[in-house]
Amino acid sequence: MAAHDPFARADRAAPRPRRRVVVREAALEDVPTIVAMLADDPLGQSREDPADLAPYDAAFVRIAGDPGEVLVVAELDGQVVGTLQLSVLPSLSRRVAARPARRGPRRRRHARRRGGEQLVRWALERARAEGCELVQLTSDSSRTGARRFYERLGFTASHVGMKLALR
């Protein structure tokens, strides 16, 4: 009689291979997908217009032409699942340390955790490579889940941000 293995289960499927998120610089062809992600968000629903891509295309060209800016996307299985814009800002403070500011990070709803952490880690490595000493980011105060996410990665809520709408 064969020994019974209490850990063996006939219905247990083989472990699924870990899918890899690839972070790459965004291309103009990614703009519709990026805008769709921005609009597929409680805050973005009222301020983004995926039906009119011309202003987004123009903004992309400006971002791509600025050496202090980089717009990237995260791909999972060839599908864009996240995006962020990294701005490296020269500074006279902190003994002229450059500071990157992360702006507009978004992830597709079905890929929340997968691409987000890898996007942040990519941004941190890029910031180090640019000689930055710290990373600043903004997140809307209503995004409590985002705040927990960033705190889990080591960020601290050290400043109070303010904004003033000009239009």
Side-chain angles (χ1 to χ4, degrees):
M1 180 171 184
H4 174 67
D5 181 356
F7 298 106
R9 290 182 46 190
D11 62 341
R12 183 176 295 181
R16 292 175 35 179
R18 186 165 172 87
R19 300 182 310 172
R20 185 168 169 247
V21 173
V22 175
V23 178
R24 64 167 174 81
E25 285 199 36
L28 186 60
E29 297 78 34
D30 295 315
V31 170
T33 303
I34 293 169
V35 174
M37 281 189 286
L38 295 172
D40 183 32
D41 176 89
L43 298 176
Q45 288 173 353
S46 63
R47 62 183 180 208
E48 306 301 341
D49 184 5
D52 181 12
L53 294 175
Y56 297 98
D57 289 344
F60 175 87
V61 170
R62 288 185 66 190
I63 293 166
D66 186 329
E69 302 283 337
V70 63
L71 182 65
V72 297
V73 294
E75 286 186 338
L76 181 63
D77 297 333
Q79 181 182 14
V80 173
V81 296
T83 186
L84 73 77
Q85 181 177 342
L86 182 69
S87 304
V88 176
L89 310 170
S91 174
L92 292 178
S93 67
R94 293 186 177 254
R95 303 182 74 194
V96 296
R99 297 176 181 203
R102 281 192 64 236
R103 293 195 291 225
R106 294 290 181 274
R107 296 170 309 277
R108 287 191 185 271
R109 291 177 192 232
H110 70 275
R112 287 279 183 213
R113 272 194 109 190
R114 200 65 159 164
E117 187 169 333
Q118 291 190 20
L119 274 171
V120 171
R121 295 200 186 286
W122 178 92
L124 296 174
E125 287 306 311
R126 176 70 178 252
R128 284 184 188 99
E130 294 282 343
C132 298
E133 291 189 10
L134 63 89
V135 173
Q136 294 178 191
L137 65 87
T138 60
S139 182
D140 192 278
S141 60
S142 68
R143 297 182 189 279
T144 56
R147 183 172 173 167
R148 285 191 305 271
F149 169 78
Y150 293 122
E151 287 172 342
R152 185 175 59 77
L153 295 176
F155 287 83
T156 59
S158 61
H159 292 72
V160 174
M162 301 176 83
K163 66 182 175 185
L164 174 66
L166 298 178
R167 288 193 259 161

